[in-house]
Amino acid sequence: GENVEQHPSTLSVQEGDSAVIKCTYSDSASNYFPWYKQELGKRPQLIIDIRSNVGEKKDQRIAVTLNKTAKHFSLHITETQPEDSAVYFCAASIRRDLGNQFYFGTGTSLTVIP
Amino acid sequence: KAGVTQTPRYLIKTRGQQVTLSCSPISGHRSVSWYQQTPGQGLQFLFEYFSETQRNKGNFPGRFSGRQFSNSRSEMNVSTLELGDSALYLCASSSGGGTASYNEQFFGPGTRLTVL
């Protein structure tokens, strides 16, 4: 089955700096890669996603890149702010039958130091 | 639209007991997935239901089971609870159907299960 690895497990950055979180996946059939942000005590929420036919996607301070050949994708947050502090999960989705099965990374705890 | 809801939010059980958790998806969504979240293990996929049928299943023992009703509400049952079952159980709903390859998942707030 699919295996998603996520690094680093913890990340501390100064406010205003950039943060990068990297994930690798094993199954070339994965075709959808969402990123979720989970604040303390709250549910995971989708912040950005990318499909396998796209190499990069940006949304304001957040960007995701995908390298299908190397089977890795990354989340980039620029100009970090204290409210970016949270746990971030990457996921890879494989289409099975009529639906998708999601495989999640183990999460990155991001701390933005004011 | 109302979001995904889960009940109860908190549960305390003892070893050997069984528990049933409930998830109500976003109106119109037919797919409900269940995940177990523990520190250091991330989100582990339990199973997914679509139109009352289990469509996908993760690598959990048979003590973990689920079902989905005709209104798309889903329940998850864990029998013979073990200490290691203590976790946050999240459900996620998506439209899940048709030929779309990309179905965004929306998570519920989770049920925090503590097994003593």
Side-chain angles (χ1 to χ4, degrees):
Chain A
E2 174 64 283
N3 180 46
V4 177
E5 294 190 357
Q6 184 172 347
H7 300 282
S9 57
T10 60
L11 179 61
S12 292
V13 299
Q14 290 291 134
E15 182 177 358
D17 288 349
S18 295
V20 181
I21 302 170
K22 298 182 179 182
C23 289
T24 61
Y25 61 100
S26 60
D27 196 327
S28 57
S30 292
N31 61 0
Y32 173 57
F33 307 89
W35 285 87
Y36 290 85
K37 175 183 180 182
Q38 187 176 27
E39 297 178 55
L40 190 63
K42 296 188 176 181
R43 70 190 75 188
Q45 294 203 310
L46 179 73
I47 55 171
I48 195 167
D49 56 14
I50 190 167
R51 302 179 182 184
S52 58
N53 58 349
V54 175
E56 183 176 1
K57 183 177 178 180
K58 287 184 180 180
D59 183 3
Q60 299 182 343
R61 298 186 296 109
I62 296 174
V64 57
T65 59
L66 171 65
N67 183 325
K68 286 171 55 180
T69 303
K71 296 194 184 70
H72 67 70
F73 55 113
S74 301
L75 177 71
H76 304 253
I77 306 174
T78 59
E79 300 172 20
T80 53
Q81 302 168 3
E83 51 265 39
D84 294 329
S85 296
V87 178
Y88 291 82
F89 292 96
C90 64
S93 174
I94 296 177
R95 180 175 174 77
R96 299 195 190 285
D97 296 330
L98 291 179
N100 293 352
Q101 184 162 345
F102 289 80
Y103 298 84
F104 283 82
T106 50
T108 296
S109 179
L110 173 65
T111 301
V112 179
I113 303 166
Chain B
K1 282 185 180 179
V4 181
T5 58
Q6 290 185 246
T7 57
R9 295 293 310 279
Y10 302 92
L11 265 179
I12 299 176
K13 293 285 188 178
T14 56
R15 280 182 299 174
Q17 288 187 309
Q18 76 165 20
V19 66
T20 299
L21 313 181
S22 180
C23 173
S24 292
I26 291 171
S27 177
H29 283 187
R30 295 161 65 189
S31 168
V32 175
S33 297
W34 287 90
Y35 296 89
Q36 181 192 66
Q37 185 175 25
T38 54
Q41 291 296 314
L43 289 152
Q44 302 286 314
F45 173 74
L46 283 152
F47 30 66
E48 184 222 2
Y49 285 85
F50 178 81
S51 291
E52 303 179 63
T53 301
Q54 188 181 86
R55 192 161 63 174
N56 291 304
K57 189 177 189 302
N59 296 322
F60 277 79
R63 299 185 297 107
F64 292 82
S65 63
R67 59 178 175 169
Q68 186 179 36
F69 302 93
S70 58
N71 62 357
S72 294
R73 188 178 71 85
S74 177
E75 288 183 346
M76 188 191 91
N77 186 76
V78 187
S79 63
T80 320
L81 284 167
E82 300 177 0
L83 295 178
D85 296 333
S86 294
L88 179 67
Y89 291 87
L90 292 160
C91 75
S93 82
S94 73
S95 57
T99 57
S101 295
Y102 317 107
N103 291 310
E104 179 181 346
Q105 289 197 324
F106 297 85
F107 283 88
T111 294
R112 173 74 62 185
L113 172 64
T114 302
V115 182
L116 302 175

